[in-house]
Amino acid sequence: MLTSILLSATDVSGLIALYREIGAYLVGVGFVCAGLAVLKKLITNHERTKEAVITYVIALVVWLTVWQLL
C-alpha cells in the first residue's frame, strides 16, 4: 500500500501549492497578531506608536515583495 502511494505521488505541484497556501495563511495570522500588538501599543504607550507602525508597514512591504518573487 505504501509503495502504491509513493508511486502515485510523482506530481508534487499540488503539494507545493498546498504548502504555499498554508504558508500564506500562517503569515496572514502573524500579521493580524502584529497589527493587534500595534493597537495595544497605541492604547498603552502612545509615545512609541510611531515606531511600531513603521516597523509593521516595513515588514508588510518586505513580505509582499518576497511573496511576489515566489
Side-chain angles (χ1 to χ4, degrees):
M1 180 172 168
L2 182 60
T3 55
S4 65
I5 293 172
L6 291 175
L7 291 176
S8 67
T10 56
D11 184 28
V12 295
S13 61
L15 188 61
I16 292 171
L18 179 65
Y19 283 151
R20 184 175 175 164
E21 185 176 343
I22 290 172
Y25 287 142
L26 291 174
V27 169
V29 168
F31 274 110
V32 167
C33 291
L36 291 174
V38 169
L39 288 176
K40 179 185 173 200
K41 189 162 283 202
L42 175 76
I43 294 169
T44 60
N45 191 359
H46 61 276
E47 294 88 15
R48 302 187 77 190
T49 302
K50 182 179 176 184
E51 297 170 5
V53 170
I54 290 171
T55 303
Y56 181 80
V57 169
I58 289 174
L60 185 61
V61 168
V62 167
W63 179 76
L64 288 172
T65 303
V66 169
W67 189 254
Q68 292 300 318
L69 293 175
L70 295 177

Short mmCIF file of all heavy atoms in Angstrom, two decimals:
data_model
loop_
_atom_site.label_atom_id
_atom_site.label_comp_id
_atom_site.label_asym_id
_atom_site.label_seq_id
_atom_site.Cartn_x
_atom_site.Cartn_y
_atom_site.Cartn_z
N MET A 1 0.82 -1.19 0.00
CA MET A 1 0.00 0.00 0.00
C MET A 1 0.87 1.26 0.00
O MET A 1 0.58 2.20 -0.72
CB MET A 1 -0.91 -0.01 1.22
CG MET A 1 -1.80 1.19 1.29
SD MET A 1 -2.98 0.99 2.61
CE MET A 1 -3.60 2.61 2.68
N LEU A 2 1.92 1.25 0.80
CA LEU A 2 2.81 2.41 0.86
C LEU A 2 3.51 2.63 -0.47
O LEU A 2 3.66 3.77 -0.90
CB LEU A 2 3.84 2.22 1.98
CG LEU A 2 4.81 3.38 2.20
CD1 LEU A 2 4.03 4.64 2.57
CD2 LEU A 2 5.80 3.04 3.28
N THR A 3 3.89 1.56 -1.12
CA THR A 3 4.56 1.73 -2.42
C THR A 3 3.62 2.30 -3.46
O THR A 3 4.04 3.09 -4.31
CB THR A 3 5.13 0.38 -2.91
OG1 THR A 3 4.07 -0.58 -2.95
CG2 THR A 3 6.25 -0.09 -2.03
N SER A 4 2.35 1.93 -3.41
CA SER A 4 1.41 2.48 -4.39
C SER A 4 1.19 3.98 -4.15
O SER A 4 1.02 4.74 -5.09
CB SER A 4 0.07 1.74 -4.34
OG SER A 4 -0.55 1.95 -3.08
N ILE A 5 1.21 4.39 -2.88
CA ILE A 5 1.08 5.82 -2.57
C ILE A 5 2.31 6.58 -3.06
O ILE A 5 2.20 7.64 -3.66
CB ILE A 5 0.87 6.04 -1.05
CG1 ILE A 5 -0.48 5.47 -0.62
CG2 ILE A 5 0.97 7.51 -0.70
CD1 ILE A 5 -0.69 5.47 0.86
N LEU A 6 3.49 6.01 -2.82
CA LEU A 6 4.71 6.67 -3.25
C LEU A 6 4.81 6.74 -4.77
O LEU A 6 5.28 7.74 -5.32
CB LEU A 6 5.93 5.95 -2.67
CG LEU A 6 6.12 6.08 -1.16
CD1 LEU A 6 7.28 5.23 -0.70
CD2 LEU A 6 6.32 7.53 -0.77
N LEU A 7 4.38 5.72 -5.45
CA LEU A 7 4.44 5.71 -6.90
C LEU A 7 3.42 6.67 -7.52
O LEU A 7 3.66 7.23 -8.58
CB LEU A 7 4.23 4.30 -7.44
CG LEU A 7 5.37 3.31 -7.15
CD1 LEU A 7 4.99 1.93 -7.64
CD2 LEU A 7 6.66 3.79 -7.80
N SER A 8 2.29 6.86 -6.85
CA SER A 8 1.29 7.77 -7.40
C SER A 8 1.58 9.22 -7.07
O SER A 8 0.93 10.12 -7.58
CB SER A 8 -0.10 7.39 -6.87
OG SER A 8 -0.17 7.63 -5.48
N ALA A 9 2.56 9.48 -6.22
CA ALA A 9 2.88 10.85 -5.81
C ALA A 9 4.02 11.44 -6.62
O ALA A 9 4.85 12.16 -6.11
CB ALA A 9 3.22 10.86 -4.32
N THR A 10 4.05 11.16 -7.91
CA THR A 10 5.13 11.69 -8.73
C THR A 10 4.91 13.16 -9.07
O THR A 10 5.86 13.89 -9.31
CB THR A 10 5.27 10.88 -10.02
OG1 THR A 10 4.00 10.88 -10.70
CG2 THR A 10 5.71 9.47 -9.72
N ASP A 11 3.67 13.61 -9.09
CA ASP A 11 3.37 15.01 -9.37
C ASP A 11 3.21 15.74 -8.04
O ASP A 11 2.23 15.56 -7.34
CB ASP A 11 2.10 15.12 -10.20
CG ASP A 11 1.80 16.55 -10.59
OD1 ASP A 11 2.76 17.33 -10.71
OD2 ASP A 11 0.62 16.87 -10.78
N VAL A 12 4.19 16.59 -7.72
CA VAL A 12 4.17 17.27 -6.42
C VAL A 12 3.71 18.72 -6.55
O VAL A 12 3.77 19.47 -5.57
CB VAL A 12 5.57 17.22 -5.76
CG1 VAL A 12 5.94 15.81 -5.40
CG2 VAL A 12 6.61 17.87 -6.62
N SER A 13 3.25 19.13 -7.71
CA SER A 13 2.83 20.52 -7.88
C SER A 13 1.62 20.86 -7.00
O SER A 13 1.53 21.97 -6.49
CB SER A 13 2.52 20.82 -9.34
OG SER A 13 1.46 19.99 -9.79
N GLY A 14 0.73 19.90 -6.82
CA GLY A 14 -0.41 20.12 -5.94
C GLY A 14 0.03 20.28 -4.50
O GLY A 14 -0.51 21.11 -3.76
N LEU A 15 1.02 19.50 -4.10
CA LEU A 15 1.53 19.59 -2.74
C LEU A 15 2.25 20.92 -2.50
O LEU A 15 2.09 21.54 -1.45
CB LEU A 15 2.49 18.42 -2.48
CG LEU A 15 2.99 18.24 -1.05
CD1 LEU A 15 1.82 18.00 -0.11
CD2 LEU A 15 3.97 17.08 -1.00
N ILE A 16 3.00 21.37 -3.48
CA ILE A 16 3.68 22.66 -3.37
C ILE A 16 2.67 23.79 -3.27
O ILE A 16 2.82 24.71 -2.46
CB ILE A 16 4.65 22.86 -4.56
CG1 ILE A 16 5.81 21.87 -4.46
CG2 ILE A 16 5.16 24.29 -4.62
CD1 ILE A 16 6.69 21.83 -5.68
N ALA A 17 1.61 23.72 -4.05
CA ALA A 17 0.56 24.75 -3.97
C ALA A 17 -0.11 24.74 -2.60
O ALA A 17 -0.43 25.80 -2.05
CB ALA A 17 -0.47 24.52 -5.07
N LEU A 18 -0.32 23.55 -2.05
CA LEU A 18 -0.91 23.44 -0.72
C LEU A 18 0.00 24.05 0.34
O LEU A 18 -0.46 24.79 1.22
CB LEU A 18 -1.20 21.98 -0.38
CG LEU A 18 -1.80 21.70 0.99
CD1 LEU A 18 -3.18 22.33 1.09
CD2 LEU A 18 -1.86 20.21 1.25
N TYR A 19 1.29 23.77 0.28
CA TYR A 19 2.24 24.37 1.22
C TYR A 19 2.27 25.88 1.09
O TYR A 19 2.34 26.59 2.09
CB TYR A 19 3.65 23.81 1.00
CG TYR A 19 3.86 22.42 1.55
CD1 TYR A 19 4.78 21.56 0.98
CD2 TYR A 19 3.16 21.97 2.65
CE1 TYR A 19 4.98 20.29 1.48
CE2 TYR A 19 3.35 20.70 3.15
CZ TYR A 19 4.26 19.87 2.57
OH TYR A 19 4.46 18.62 3.08
N ARG A 20 2.19 26.38 -0.13
CA ARG A 20 2.20 27.83 -0.33
C ARG A 20 0.94 28.46 0.26
O ARG A 20 1.00 29.52 0.89
CB ARG A 20 2.30 28.13 -1.82
CG ARG A 20 2.41 29.58 -2.10
CD ARG A 20 2.63 29.87 -3.55
NE ARG A 20 2.60 31.32 -3.73
CZ ARG A 20 3.03 31.93 -4.77
NH1 ARG A 20 3.54 31.25 -5.76
NH2 ARG A 20 2.96 33.24 -4.86
N GLU A 21 -0.20 27.81 0.08
CA GLU A 21 -1.44 28.34 0.63
C GLU A 21 -1.44 28.32 2.16
O GLU A 21 -1.84 29.30 2.80
CB GLU A 21 -2.61 27.52 0.11
CG GLU A 21 -3.96 28.05 0.51
CD GLU A 21 -5.09 27.26 -0.11
OE1 GLU A 21 -4.85 26.52 -1.08
OE2 GLU A 21 -6.22 27.39 0.38
N ILE A 22 -0.94 27.25 2.74
CA ILE A 22 -0.85 27.17 4.20
C ILE A 22 0.12 28.22 4.73
O ILE A 22 -0.14 28.86 5.75
CB ILE A 22 -0.45 25.75 4.63
CG1 ILE A 22 -1.60 24.79 4.36
CG2 ILE A 22 -0.07 25.72 6.11
CD1 ILE A 22 -1.25 23.33 4.57
N GLY A 23 1.22 28.42 4.04
CA GLY A 23 2.18 29.46 4.43
C GLY A 23 1.56 30.84 4.39
O GLY A 23 1.79 31.67 5.26
N ALA A 24 0.74 31.09 3.38
CA ALA A 24 0.07 32.39 3.28
C ALA A 24 -0.88 32.59 4.45
O ALA A 24 -0.97 33.69 5.01
CB ALA A 24 -0.69 32.49 1.96
N TYR A 25 -1.60 31.54 4.84
CA TYR A 25 -2.50 31.64 5.99
C TYR A 25 -1.71 31.92 7.27
O TYR A 25 -2.12 32.76 8.07
CB TYR A 25 -3.30 30.36 6.18
CG TYR A 25 -4.41 30.16 5.17
CD1 TYR A 25 -4.69 28.90 4.67
CD2 TYR A 25 -5.18 31.23 4.71
CE1 TYR A 25 -5.70 28.71 3.75
CE2 TYR A 25 -6.18 31.05 3.79
CZ TYR A 25 -6.44 29.78 3.31
OH TYR A 25 -7.44 29.60 2.40
N LEU A 26 -0.60 31.24 7.47
CA LEU A 26 0.19 31.45 8.68
C LEU A 26 0.77 32.86 8.74
O LEU A 26 0.77 33.50 9.80
CB LEU A 26 1.31 30.41 8.77
CG LEU A 26 0.86 28.97 9.03
CD1 LEU A 26 2.05 28.03 8.94
CD2 LEU A 26 0.19 28.87 10.38
N VAL A 27 1.26 33.36 7.61
CA VAL A 27 1.79 34.71 7.58
C VAL A 27 0.67 35.72 7.80
O VAL A 27 0.84 36.72 8.51
CB VAL A 27 2.53 34.97 6.24
CG1 VAL A 27 2.86 36.43 6.07
CG2 VAL A 27 3.79 34.13 6.18
N GLY A 28 -0.50 35.46 7.24
CA GLY A 28 -1.64 36.34 7.46
C GLY A 28 -2.03 36.42 8.93
O GLY A 28 -2.29 37.51 9.46
N VAL A 29 -2.05 35.28 9.60
CA VAL A 29 -2.35 35.27 11.03
C VAL A 29 -1.27 36.02 11.80
O VAL A 29 -1.57 36.77 12.74
CB VAL A 29 -2.49 33.81 11.54
CG1 VAL A 29 -2.52 33.75 13.06
CG2 VAL A 29 -3.74 33.17 10.97
N GLY A 30 -0.03 35.88 11.39
CA GLY A 30 1.06 36.61 12.04
C GLY A 30 0.91 38.11 11.91
O GLY A 30 1.14 38.85 12.86
N PHE A 31 0.50 38.56 10.71
CA PHE A 31 0.31 39.99 10.52
C PHE A 31 -0.91 40.51 11.28
O PHE A 31 -0.91 41.64 11.75
CB PHE A 31 0.22 40.35 9.04
CG PHE A 31 1.56 40.56 8.41
CD1 PHE A 31 2.07 39.65 7.51
CD2 PHE A 31 2.33 41.65 8.74
CE1 PHE A 31 3.31 39.83 6.94
CE2 PHE A 31 3.58 41.84 8.17
CZ PHE A 31 4.07 40.93 7.27
N VAL A 32 -1.93 39.69 11.43
CA VAL A 32 -3.08 40.10 12.25
C VAL A 32 -2.64 40.27 13.70
O VAL A 32 -2.98 41.26 14.36
CB VAL A 32 -4.23 39.09 12.12
CG1 VAL A 32 -5.29 39.32 13.19
CG2 VAL A 32 -4.85 39.16 10.74
N CYS A 33 -1.87 39.31 14.20
CA CYS A 33 -1.37 39.41 15.59
C CYS A 33 -0.45 40.62 15.76
O CYS A 33 -0.52 41.32 16.77
CB CYS A 33 -0.64 38.13 15.98
SG CYS A 33 -1.72 36.71 16.13
N ALA A 34 0.39 40.88 14.77
CA ALA A 34 1.27 42.06 14.85
C ALA A 34 0.45 43.35 14.81
O ALA A 34 0.77 44.31 15.51
CB ALA A 34 2.28 42.03 13.71
N GLY A 35 -0.60 43.37 14.03
CA GLY A 35 -1.47 44.54 13.99
C GLY A 35 -2.16 44.77 15.33
O GLY A 35 -2.31 45.91 15.79
N LEU A 36 -2.57 43.68 15.98
CA LEU A 36 -3.17 43.81 17.31
C LEU A 36 -2.14 44.32 18.32
O LEU A 36 -2.49 45.10 19.22
CB LEU A 36 -3.75 42.47 17.76
CG LEU A 36 -4.99 42.00 16.99
CD1 LEU A 36 -5.37 40.60 17.43
CD2 LEU A 36 -6.14 42.97 17.18
N ALA A 37 -0.90 43.91 18.17
CA ALA A 37 0.16 44.41 19.06
C ALA A 37 0.39 45.90 18.85
O ALA A 37 0.63 46.63 19.82
CB ALA A 37 1.45 43.63 18.83
N VAL A 38 0.29 46.36 17.60
CA VAL A 38 0.43 47.79 17.33
C VAL A 38 -0.73 48.55 17.97
O VAL A 38 -0.54 49.60 18.57
CB VAL A 38 0.49 48.06 15.81
CG1 VAL A 38 0.36 49.53 15.50
CG2 VAL A 38 1.80 47.51 15.24
N LEU A 39 -1.94 48.00 17.88
CA LEU A 39 -3.09 48.66 18.52
C LEU A 39 -2.94 48.70 20.04
O LEU A 39 -3.28 49.69 20.68
CB LEU A 39 -4.38 47.93 18.15
CG LEU A 39 -4.86 48.13 16.72
CD1 LEU A 39 -6.09 47.28 16.45
CD2 LEU A 39 -5.16 49.58 16.45
N LYS A 40 -2.40 47.63 20.61
CA LYS A 40 -2.18 47.61 22.05
C LYS A 40 -1.16 48.69 22.45
O LYS A 40 -1.34 49.37 23.45
CB LYS A 40 -1.67 46.24 22.49
CG LYS A 40 -1.40 46.15 23.96
CD LYS A 40 -0.80 44.82 24.33
CE LYS A 40 -0.39 44.87 25.79
NZ LYS A 40 0.58 43.86 26.11
N LYS A 41 -0.12 48.82 21.65
CA LYS A 41 0.89 49.84 21.94
C LYS A 41 0.29 51.24 21.79
O LYS A 41 0.64 52.15 22.54
CB LYS A 41 2.09 49.69 21.02
CG LYS A 41 3.25 50.59 21.42
CD LYS A 41 4.52 50.12 20.80
CE LYS A 41 4.99 48.94 21.59
NZ LYS A 41 6.39 48.65 21.50
N LEU A 42 -0.64 51.41 20.86
CA LEU A 42 -1.32 52.69 20.69
C LEU A 42 -2.09 53.06 21.96
O LEU A 42 -2.09 54.20 22.39
CB LEU A 42 -2.27 52.63 19.50
CG LEU A 42 -3.15 53.85 19.25
CD1 LEU A 42 -2.32 54.95 18.62
CD2 LEU A 42 -4.30 53.48 18.35
N ILE A 43 -2.71 52.07 22.56
CA ILE A 43 -3.52 52.31 23.75
C ILE A 43 -2.65 52.48 24.99
O ILE A 43 -2.87 53.39 25.79
CB ILE A 43 -4.53 51.17 23.95
CG1 ILE A 43 -5.54 51.18 22.80
CG2 ILE A 43 -5.24 51.28 25.29
CD1 ILE A 43 -6.41 49.95 22.74
N THR A 44 -1.65 51.62 25.16
CA THR A 44 -0.89 51.62 26.41
C THR A 44 0.30 52.58 26.40
O THR A 44 0.61 53.16 27.43
CB THR A 44 -0.37 50.21 26.73
OG1 THR A 44 0.46 49.76 25.67
CG2 THR A 44 -1.53 49.24 26.93
N ASN A 45 0.98 52.72 25.28
CA ASN A 45 2.20 53.53 25.24
C ASN A 45 2.20 54.33 23.94
O ASN A 45 2.94 54.02 23.00
CB ASN A 45 3.43 52.61 25.33
CG ASN A 45 4.70 53.38 25.57
OD1 ASN A 45 4.70 54.59 25.65
ND2 ASN A 45 5.80 52.66 25.66
N HIS A 46 1.39 55.36 23.89
CA HIS A 46 1.20 56.07 22.63
C HIS A 46 2.42 56.86 22.18
O HIS A 46 2.49 57.27 21.04
CB HIS A 46 -0.02 57.00 22.74
CG HIS A 46 0.12 58.06 23.80
ND1 HIS A 46 -0.17 57.82 25.10
CD2 HIS A 46 0.52 59.35 23.72
CE1 HIS A 46 0.05 58.91 25.81
NE2 HIS A 46 0.47 59.86 25.01
N GLU A 47 3.42 57.03 23.05
CA GLU A 47 4.64 57.73 22.63
C GLU A 47 5.45 56.90 21.64
O GLU A 47 6.18 57.44 20.82
CB GLU A 47 5.52 58.06 23.85
CG GLU A 47 4.93 59.06 24.81
CD GLU A 47 4.07 58.40 25.88
OE1 GLU A 47 4.16 57.16 26.05
OE2 GLU A 47 3.31 59.11 26.54
N ARG A 48 5.35 55.58 21.72
CA ARG A 48 6.16 54.71 20.85
C ARG A 48 5.33 54.08 19.73
O ARG A 48 5.79 53.16 19.06
CB ARG A 48 6.81 53.62 21.70
CG ARG A 48 7.67 54.24 22.82
CD ARG A 48 8.44 53.21 23.53
NE ARG A 48 9.57 52.86 22.68
CZ ARG A 48 10.37 51.83 22.92
NH1 ARG A 48 10.16 51.08 23.97
NH2 ARG A 48 11.36 51.58 22.12
N THR A 49 4.16 54.61 19.49
CA THR A 49 3.29 54.04 18.46
C THR A 49 3.87 54.24 17.06
O THR A 49 3.77 53.35 16.22
CB THR A 49 1.89 54.69 18.54
OG1 THR A 49 1.37 54.46 19.84
CG2 THR A 49 0.96 54.11 17.52
N LYS A 50 4.49 55.39 16.84
CA LYS A 50 5.05 55.67 15.51
C LYS A 50 6.07 54.62 15.12
O LYS A 50 6.07 54.14 13.98
CB LYS A 50 5.68 57.06 15.51
CG LYS A 50 6.25 57.48 14.19
CD LYS A 50 6.84 58.88 14.26
CE LYS A 50 7.49 59.27 12.97
NZ LYS A 50 8.14 60.58 13.04
N GLU A 51 6.94 54.22 16.05
CA GLU A 51 7.95 53.19 15.76
C GLU A 51 7.28 51.86 15.42
O GLU A 51 7.70 51.16 14.50
CB GLU A 51 8.86 53.01 16.96
CG GLU A 51 9.68 54.23 17.32
CD GLU A 51 10.37 54.07 18.66
OE1 GLU A 51 10.30 52.99 19.26
OE2 GLU A 51 10.99 55.05 19.10
N ALA A 52 6.24 51.50 16.16
CA ALA A 52 5.55 50.23 15.93
C ALA A 52 4.86 50.22 14.57
O ALA A 52 4.91 49.21 13.86
CB ALA A 52 4.56 49.97 17.05
N VAL A 53 4.25 51.32 14.20
CA VAL A 53 3.56 51.39 12.91
C VAL A 53 4.57 51.31 11.76
O VAL A 53 4.35 50.62 10.77
CB VAL A 53 2.71 52.68 12.82
CG1 VAL A 53 2.19 52.90 11.42
CG2 VAL A 53 1.55 52.61 13.81
N ILE A 54 5.68 52.02 11.90
CA ILE A 54 6.72 51.97 10.85
C ILE A 54 7.27 50.56 10.70
O ILE A 54 7.43 50.05 9.59
CB ILE A 54 7.84 52.99 11.16
CG1 ILE A 54 7.32 54.41 10.98
CG2 ILE A 54 9.05 52.76 10.27
CD1 ILE A 54 8.27 55.49 11.46
N THR A 55 7.53 49.89 11.81
CA THR A 55 8.03 48.51 11.77
C THR A 55 7.02 47.59 11.10
O THR A 55 7.38 46.75 10.26
CB THR A 55 8.33 48.02 13.19
OG1 THR A 55 9.27 48.90 13.79
CG2 THR A 55 8.88 46.61 13.18
N TYR A 56 5.75 47.74 11.44
CA TYR A 56 4.69 46.92 10.85
C TYR A 56 4.59 47.13 9.35
O TYR A 56 4.52 46.17 8.58
CB TYR A 56 3.36 47.23 11.53
CG TYR A 56 2.20 46.41 11.02
CD1 TYR A 56 2.02 45.11 11.45
CD2 TYR A 56 1.30 46.94 10.11
CE1 TYR A 56 0.96 44.35 10.99
CE2 TYR A 56 0.25 46.18 9.64
CZ TYR A 56 0.08 44.90 10.09
OH TYR A 56 -0.96 44.15 9.62
N VAL A 57 4.61 48.38 8.92
CA VAL A 57 4.48 48.68 7.49
C VAL A 57 5.68 48.17 6.71
O VAL A 57 5.53 47.59 5.63
CB VAL A 57 4.27 50.20 7.28
CG1 VAL A 57 4.40 50.58 5.81
CG2 VAL A 57 2.93 50.63 7.83
N ILE A 58 6.88 48.33 7.25
CA ILE A 58 8.08 47.83 6.57
C ILE A 58 8.03 46.31 6.46
O ILE A 58 8.34 45.74 5.40
CB ILE A 58 9.35 48.31 7.28
CG1 ILE A 58 9.54 49.81 7.06
CG2 ILE A 58 10.58 47.54 6.80
CD1 ILE A 58 10.67 50.42 7.82
N ALA A 59 7.64 45.63 7.53
CA ALA A 59 7.53 44.16 7.48
C ALA A 59 6.50 43.73 6.45
O ALA A 59 6.73 42.77 5.70
CB ALA A 59 7.17 43.63 8.86
N LEU A 60 5.40 44.43 6.37
CA LEU A 60 4.36 44.09 5.39
C LEU A 60 4.85 44.30 3.96
O LEU A 60 4.63 43.45 3.10
CB LEU A 60 3.11 44.94 5.66
CG LEU A 60 1.88 44.63 4.83
CD1 LEU A 60 1.43 43.20 5.07
CD2 LEU A 60 0.77 45.60 5.17
N VAL A 61 5.54 45.39 3.72
CA VAL A 61 6.06 45.66 2.37
C VAL A 61 7.11 44.63 1.98
O VAL A 61 7.10 44.13 0.84
CB VAL A 61 6.62 47.10 2.29
CG1 VAL A 61 7.42 47.31 1.02
CG2 VAL A 61 5.50 48.11 2.39
N VAL A 62 8.00 44.28 2.90
CA VAL A 62 9.03 43.27 2.60
C VAL A 62 8.38 41.93 2.31
O VAL A 62 8.75 41.25 1.36
CB VAL A 62 10.04 43.18 3.77
CG1 VAL A 62 10.92 41.95 3.63
CG2 VAL A 62 10.88 44.43 3.83
N TRP A 63 7.38 41.54 3.11
CA TRP A 63 6.73 40.25 2.88
C TRP A 63 6.01 40.24 1.54
O TRP A 63 6.09 39.25 0.81
CB TRP A 63 5.74 39.94 4.01
CG TRP A 63 5.05 38.64 3.77
CD1 TRP A 63 5.56 37.39 3.94
CD2 TRP A 63 3.74 38.46 3.23
NE1 TRP A 63 4.63 36.46 3.58
CE2 TRP A 63 3.52 37.09 3.14
CE3 TRP A 63 2.73 39.35 2.86
CZ2 TRP A 63 2.32 36.56 2.68
CZ3 TRP A 63 1.55 38.83 2.39
CH2 TRP A 63 1.35 37.45 2.30
N LEU A 64 5.31 41.31 1.20
CA LEU A 64 4.62 41.36 -0.09
C LEU A 64 5.61 41.31 -1.25
O LEU A 64 5.34 40.66 -2.27
CB LEU A 64 3.75 42.61 -0.17
CG LEU A 64 2.50 42.61 0.69
CD1 LEU A 64 1.83 43.97 0.66
CD2 LEU A 64 1.55 41.52 0.27
N THR A 65 6.76 41.93 -1.08
CA THR A 65 7.78 41.89 -2.14
C THR A 65 8.33 40.48 -2.31
O THR A 65 8.44 39.98 -3.44
CB THR A 65 8.92 42.86 -1.81
OG1 THR A 65 8.38 44.17 -1.63
CG2 THR A 65 9.97 42.88 -2.90
N VAL A 66 8.63 39.83 -1.22
CA VAL A 66 9.13 38.45 -1.28
C VAL A 66 8.07 37.52 -1.86
O VAL A 66 8.36 36.64 -2.67
CB VAL A 66 9.61 37.98 0.11
CG1 VAL A 66 9.87 36.49 0.13
CG2 VAL A 66 10.84 38.74 0.54
N TRP A 67 6.82 37.71 -1.47
CA TRP A 67 5.74 36.85 -1.94
C TRP A 67 5.57 36.99 -3.45
O TRP A 67 5.28 36.01 -4.14
CB TRP A 67 4.45 37.21 -1.22
CG TRP A 67 3.36 36.25 -1.49
CD1 TRP A 67 2.28 36.43 -2.28
CD2 TRP A 67 3.24 34.91 -0.98
NE1 TRP A 67 1.50 35.32 -2.28
CE2 TRP A 67 2.07 34.38 -1.50
CE3 TRP A 67 4.02 34.16 -0.13
CZ2 TRP A 67 1.65 33.08 -1.21
CZ3 TRP A 67 3.60 32.87 0.17
CH2 TRP A 67 2.43 32.34 -0.36
N GLN A 68 5.76 38.20 -3.98
CA GLN A 68 5.63 38.40 -5.43
C GLN A 68 6.78 37.73 -6.19
O GLN A 68 6.60 37.33 -7.34
CB GLN A 68 5.58 39.89 -5.77
CG GLN A 68 4.34 40.59 -5.28
CD GLN A 68 3.08 39.99 -5.88
OE1 GLN A 68 3.03 39.69 -7.06
NE2 GLN A 68 2.06 39.82 -5.06
N LEU A 69 7.93 37.59 -5.54
CA LEU A 69 9.07 36.94 -6.20
C LEU A 69 8.93 35.42 -6.26
O LEU A 69 9.53 34.77 -7.09
CB LEU A 69 10.36 37.31 -5.47
CG LEU A 69 10.78 38.77 -5.57
CD1 LEU A 69 12.01 39.02 -4.72
CD2 LEU A 69 11.04 39.17 -7.01
N LEU A 70 8.13 34.86 -5.34
CA LEU A 70 7.93 33.40 -5.35
C LEU A 70 6.95 33.08 -6.40
O LEU A 70 6.52 32.47 -7.02
CB LEU A 70 7.43 32.93 -3.99
CG LEU A 70 8.39 33.09 -2.83
CD1 LEU A 70 7.74 32.63 -1.55
CD2 LEU A 70 9.66 32.29 -3.07
#
